[in-house]
Structure formats: structure tokens, C-alpha cells
């Protein structure tokens, strides 16, 4: 492994929206989607709801929060194209118009600008995006979000599940941020004597591969079996083959971790397949937590976030500039960064394993099967040191977007009402998921 050194963190990049950059995005958006993200087209249901929400926002009749199900790494550029290109084209076809360009202030992970390169550091602030850190209180981010909700040029747009979930038809637990943001906005508006409601617009996404969904499933199953060293012809029942491959992956992971960390996980029990994956997830997290001197507690996703931030804080220091340290202190900082980089493989593997759910196959639908095998392949990708950028994604796919009915708030919700709001949003997502599956079945 290449020697890893500690670097100075990039800190908070404040948004500074540039209209000329948005024009540039409109020009390069389609070729970027097609050639960089493998998205050949976008199909949208409920565009009139998006138009009505934007129109009310632009006429200063409402404030608007857009929530999207984050199911793939392609989501953000797809939504950029939806707002900046697809919506204006739809308006022209319907002989409608908007008062100004449609776009959004996106939230994105603060750590991204440490590793994403100069291009991202140049682009993200100029499209008005706001850096945030999950499960942490960041005063700069909090202040900027609150200002944007109250006075932003565009609606605020983010994923309430907090990160990519790799499931189009299962909504993970929503963060409390959505209800908190809505409460902030209502409270700040009322403090000014402004009676405008706050609208929350849910959006769901999924992706259809070219060449047929089931055909892609079998192709990827053959690839997965090959990487696991399994031989033999595939055929017959797809679910049986998927479960067999999943069991082989669990065998491989248990053998790998028992050899690398003997005694950490007890593999002597015979357990159902989902429990084996759950036990592996817990053990992988304990590998990283033990290295940091922690006792893991809480939900897996919270533990993953805690590990991820500790890794980032070791690699990209915001508390000190490593170049100003003494030789001994610099050596210690570099050692901590090197250790964190080694632990990144555990965090990346757990990040996908969290979303391997056997019961996802209990419902009919070929796209569920494709997402399941893609996740199994990605677990191997992460175990080899890969990340989301090296995750396999079928080429020439079509993005399918479904826009839900907006929810409207006129008063700041209290704690009990905030919980009810999260449940209402989850119900909308469940409805959108069912609609998407029915819509997809008509296209097959």
C-alpha cells in the first residue's frame, strides 16, 4: 500500500451561486449523464406537481423543500438535469413558463471536497450546494441551511435517508433533519410575520438497464459466481440462484474475517442467511471500532457514520495543519492517517452490507433482483478496497423519476408532530415505490 500522509482538511466551502455555471451545466449535463454516469434518458411521472411546486415557490407563495430517495450514485446529476433541463422542456411542451431558472440548493457530504478533486471544489459552491456532516452539529452548515430555507434563491434539496441506500423500493429510516428544517422555516417565517406555508415535495428514483432486467440479473450472477470461484451452469429459478450466491458470499466473508481476525466473530453457529449477514456487519464494525478503542453501540448506520468521520478526521485534519508539526508530531499524524486508510476498507464494506436484505426478494419484481445482485457484487468490490466510484452500474440505463404529492405545513411542528411528519413522508415514499414498480411492469 502506498504510504499515506495526513493532509490539511478543506474546511467549510460556503456556497456562492453563479448563473453562468448553471448555464454551463445545462450544456454539458446530457453528455455527462450519458458518458460519465451511463444514463441514456430520463422518464418522469408527476412533472405537473414539480412545476406547480416551483411556480408557487417562485411566486413567493411558499417555501419549498425537495426530498429525494437516494438509490444510486447517479441521483444528483439526474436531478440536476431534471430541474435545469427536463422541467423547462416540459414547460415549453405544455405552453407554460417559470419566472426564473429552476434549480436547487443541494446538500452534500462535507468530506467530499477533501478527496473529490479540484473540479468538485470549484463546481459545488458555484451551484449553491451546501456541505453538511451527518449526525454532527456544524454551525456553519446549520446557519447556511437556515438562511437558504428562509431566503434561498432555490428550494433546498437533499436525501432524508442521509446517504445512498441502493434500494428503489425500500425506504430506510428518515433522519430527523427534514422535520427540523421544516420547523426552522415555519418558525423563522412567523417571526417575520410571514404566513407562507412550507411545502415538502418527495421524489423517488430508480433505473432501468438496457437489454432487459432479468437478462442483466443472470449476467451479473455469472460474474458474481466467477469472482467467488463457483463453477457450474446457472438456470432455473432466479431467486434460488440469488440466495445460493448470497450464501456463498457469506461463506467467503466469514472465512476471510475469521482468518484475518480470529476470535472476533463466532462462526460456529448455524444461522439463517440474514442473521449471518447481520453478524458479519456487526463484526466488521467492531474491527474498526476496536482499532479506535471504542465499544460499538447504536444502529449500524450511526456506527458507520462515526467510523467514517473518524477516518476522515485522521486523513484530513481540521484541528491542525500537518505541515506545521514537528517531525515527531508529523510522524504520529501520518501513522494515524495510515491506520485510518487501512480501516477504510471495513467502513466501505459495512456501508453496503447494511443494505443487503434477504426479505427484499419476498416481493415480486425483477428490478429488486437486479438491485440485490448489484449489492452482492459491490460487497466484493468494497472488500477489495473499492468504493462507490468503482461500484458496477449497468450502462445505457434509463432514470425513472416519480414525483409525489407535496405535504404542506403552516405552523412549526412540535416534537410529536415532527415524528408524524416523518411517518407521512415515509408513507408517500411507499406509495411512490409501488407506483414505480407498477409503471415498470408496464414497460417490460
Amino acid at each position: 500500500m502506498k504510504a499515506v500522509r495526513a493532509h490539511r482538511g478543506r474546511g467549510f466551502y460556503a456556497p456562492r451561486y453563479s448563473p453562468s455555471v448553471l448555464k454551463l451545466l445545462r450544456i454539458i449535463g446530457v453528455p455527462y449523464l450519458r458518458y460519465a454516469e451511463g444514463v441514456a434518458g430520463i422518464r418522469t411521472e408527476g412533472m405537473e406537481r414539480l412545476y406547480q411546486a416551483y411556480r408557487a415557490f417562485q411566486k413567493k407563495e411558499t417555501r419549498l423543500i425537495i426530498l429525494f430517495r437516494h438509490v444510486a450514485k447517479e441521483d444528483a446529476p439526474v436531478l440536476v438535469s431534471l430541474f435545469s433541463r427536463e422541467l423547462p422542456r416540459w414547460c415549453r411542451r405544455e405552453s407554460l413558463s417559470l419566472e426564473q431558472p429552476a434549480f436547487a440548493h443541494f446538500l452534500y457530504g462535507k468530506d467530499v471536497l477533501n478527496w473529490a478533486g479540484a473540479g468538485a471544489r470549484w463546481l459545488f459552491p458555484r451551484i449553491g450546494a451546501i456541505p453538511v456532516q451527518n449526525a454532527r452539529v456544524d454551525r456553519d452548515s446549520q446557519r447556511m441551511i437556515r438562511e437558504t430555507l428562509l431566503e434561498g434563491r432555490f428550494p433546498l434539496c437533499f436525501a432524508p435517508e442521509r446517504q445512498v441506500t441502493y434500494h428503489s423500493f425500500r425506504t430506510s429510516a428518515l433522519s430527523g433533519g427534514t422535520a427540523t428544517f421544516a420547523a426552522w422555516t415555519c418558525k423563522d417565517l412567523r417571526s417575520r410575520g410571514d404566513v407562507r406555508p412550507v411545502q415538502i415535495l418527495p421524489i423517488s428514483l430508480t433505473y432501468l438497464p438496457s437489454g432487459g432486467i432479468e437478462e442483466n440479473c443472470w449476467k451479473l450472477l455469472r460474474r458474481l459466481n466467477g469472482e467467488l470461484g463457483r463453477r457450474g451452469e446457472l438456470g432455473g429459478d432466479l431467486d434460488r440462484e440469488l440466495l445460493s450466491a448470497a450464501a456463498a458470499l457469506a461463506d467467503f466473508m466469514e472465512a476471510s474475517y475469521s482468518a484475518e481476525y480470529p476470535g472476533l466473530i463466532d462462526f460456529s453457529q448455524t444461522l439463517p442467511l440474514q442473521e449471518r449477514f447481520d453478524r458479519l456487519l456487526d463484526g466488521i464494525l467492531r474491527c474498526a471500532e476496536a482499532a479506535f478503542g471504542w465499544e460499538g453501540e447504536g444502529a449500524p448506520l450511526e456506527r458507520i457514520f462515526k467510523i467514517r468521520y473518524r477516518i476522515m478526521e485522521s486523513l484530513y485534519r481540521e484541528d491542525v495543519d500537518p505541515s506545521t508539526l514537528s517531525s515527531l508530531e508529523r510522524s504520529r499524524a501520518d501513522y494515524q492517517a495510515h491506520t485510518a486508510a487501512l480501516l477504510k476498507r471495513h467502513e466501505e464494506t459495512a456501508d453496503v452490507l447494511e443494505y443487503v436484505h434477504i426479505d427484499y426478494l419476498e416481493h415480486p419484481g425483477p428490478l429488486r433482483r437486479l438491485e440485490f445482485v448489484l449489492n452482492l457484487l459491490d460487497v466484493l468490490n468494497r472488500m477489495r478496497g473499492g468504493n462507490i466510484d468503482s461500484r458496477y452500474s449497468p450502462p445505457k440505463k434509463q432514470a425513472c423519476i416519480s414525483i409525489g404529492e407535496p405535504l404542506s405545513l403552516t405552523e412549526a411542528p412540535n416534537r410529536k408532530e415532527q415524528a408524524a411528519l416523518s411517518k407521512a413522508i415515509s408513507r408517500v415514499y411507499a406509495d411512490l415505490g409501488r407506483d414505480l414498480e407498477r409503471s415498470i411492469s408496464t414497460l417490460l
Side-chain angles (χ1 to χ4, degrees):
M1 180 178 177
K2 183 180 177 181
V4 176
R5 306 202 74 191
H7 297 277
R8 182 70 169 143
R10 297 287 176 177
F12 180 82
Y13 270 60
R16 47 184 186 279
Y17 167 73
S18 167
S20 59
V21 173
L22 181 55
K23 291 178 182 177
L24 175 64
L25 278 184
R26 288 199 196 98
I27 295 170
I28 67 173
V30 172
Y32 177 83
L33 275 179
R34 181 177 294 272
Y35 299 112
E37 300 290 354
V39 178
I42 298 176
R43 180 177 180 271
T44 306
E45 295 182 0
M47 189 68 93
E48 185 173 355
R49 293 171 184 161
L50 183 62
Y51 166 74
Q52 294 292 351
Y54 262 105
R55 184 173 178 274
F57 175 84
Q58 291 184 350
K59 292 174 96 47
K60 302 188 184 305
E61 296 171 353
T62 65
R63 297 304 294 174
L64 179 60
I65 298 172
I66 299 175
L67 306 178
F68 68 95
R69 290 274 347 273
H70 201 353
V71 302
K73 69 183 182 70
E74 298 89 348
D75 293 341
V78 165
L79 289 172
V80 166
S81 186
L82 172 68
F83 301 146
S84 65
R85 190 171 185 274
E86 299 296 320
L87 178 58
R89 289 177 65 190
W90 180 88
C91 287
R92 288 193 294 271
R93 288 196 302 270
E94 299 295 322
S95 300
L96 298 170
S97 63
L98 292 170
E99 296 180 5
Q100 55 182 298
F103 200 58
H105 293 285
F106 288 88
L107 302 186
Y108 68 95
K110 183 180 177 183
D111 62 295
V112 169
L113 297 190
N114 285 321
W115 50 263
R121 290 194 293 274
W122 180 87
L123 177 64
F124 286 15
R126 287 170 175 81
I127 61 172
I130 303 171
V132 295
Q133 199 161 345
N134 278 318
R136 295 283 186 93
V137 176
D138 184 302
R139 291 183 179 177
D140 291 325
S141 299
Q142 198 174 94
R143 173 181 54 80
M144 189 58 62
I145 289 170
R146 199 157 185 165
E147 289 176 5
T148 300
L149 288 165
L150 188 61
E151 299 179 330
R153 178 190 298 260
F154 304 117
L156 189 71
C157 182
F158 63 95
E161 295 161 292
R162 296 185 285 177
Q163 67 165 11
V164 189
T165 67
Y166 310 110
H167 289 117
S168 298
F169 311 112
R170 176 199 291 268
T171 305
S172 298
L174 305 186
S175 74
T178 303
T180 299
F181 294 169
W184 283 350
T185 313
C186 287
K187 181 179 179 181
D188 291 344
L189 287 170
R190 301 303 172 266
S191 70
R192 294 181 170 189
D194 191 331
V195 296
R196 281 180 292 172
V198 177
Q199 281 199 335
I200 298 173
L201 186 69
I203 295 179
S204 278
L205 301 95
T206 193
Y207 297 85
L208 291 179
S210 63
I213 301 175
E214 191 163 322
E215 291 84 349
N216 274 272
C217 285
W218 288 111
K219 181 179 74 173
L220 294 176
L221 259 176
R222 285 190 287 271
R223 175 173 171 174
L224 177 62
N225 281 341
E227 295 193 17
L228 289 170
R230 304 180 78 207
R231 300 291 181 264
E233 289 296 318
L234 288 174
D237 184 72
L238 178 58
D239 280 6
R240 186 182 67 245
E241 295 287 2
L242 285 170
L243 292 174
S244 177
L249 175 62
D251 291 340
F252 174 77
M253 296 184 72
E254 288 172 349
S256 298
Y257 273 91
S258 62
E260 191 173 354
Y261 299 95
L264 182 68
I265 309 172
D266 178 15
F267 294 116
S268 62
Q269 304 175 56
T270 301
L271 296 174
L273 185 53
Q274 186 61 58
E275 290 187 38
R276 294 174 66 190
F277 281 124
D278 293 343
R279 181 178 56 175
L280 276 162
L281 174 61
D282 177 69
I284 292 168
L285 291 173
R286 282 194 282 127
C287 287
E289 289 161 344
F292 287 130
W294 302 335
E295 290 248 353
E297 58 182 20
L301 187 58
E302 304 305 323
R303 294 166 68 187
I304 289 168
F305 283 149
K306 185 177 179 181
I307 293 166
R308 181 180 302 164
Y309 296 141
R310 178 60 180 271
I311 290 170
M312 287 297 119
E313 288 167 354
S314 297
L315 291 169
Y316 304 100
R317 301 287 293 269
E318 294 197 14
D319 59 329
V320 67
D321 183 351
S323 65
T324 65
L325 298 174
S326 67
S327 297
L328 181 60
E329 290 171 329
R330 179 65 197 243
S331 296
R332 184 182 296 115
D334 288 344
Y335 176 77
Q336 291 172 346
H338 184 79
T339 301
L342 291 173
L343 295 172
K344 185 68 176 165
R345 176 171 60 90
H346 297 314
E347 183 264 319
E348 291 282 0
T349 303
D351 189 36
V352 181
L353 202 57
E354 158 75 357
Y355 300 109
V356 173
H357 299 294
I358 304 301
D359 63 358
Y360 198 56
L361 302 178
E362 292 177 358
H363 300 271
L367 198 52
R368 289 174 178 258
R369 276 74 191 153
L370 182 62
E371 291 178 343
F372 186 81
V373 71
L374 282 169
N375 282 341
L376 298 184
L377 269 172
D378 198 22
V379 171
L380 285 180
N381 164 50
R382 307 299 176 100
M383 289 185 72
R384 287 193 297 262
N387 55 33
I388 191 170
D389 289 329
S390 54
R391 175 187 171 97
Y392 176 78
S393 182
K396 299 180 181 178
K397 52 192 168 289
Q398 183 182 49
C400 297
I401 302 172
S402 184
I403 298 162
E405 292 282 357
L407 293 82
S408 186
L409 297 176
T410 55
E411 296 294 336
N414 57 35
R415 185 166 297 181
K416 184 177 180 180
E417 291 167 340
Q418 289 180 24
L421 176 61
S422 292
K423 290 179 181 178
I425 295 168
S426 293
R427 285 195 296 269
V428 174
Y429 277 139
D431 292 340
L432 288 176
R434 285 190 292 270
D435 291 345
L436 272 175
E437 285 201 279
R438 281 195 295 268
S439 175
I440 288 167
S441 67
T442 66
L443 298 175
L444 301 179

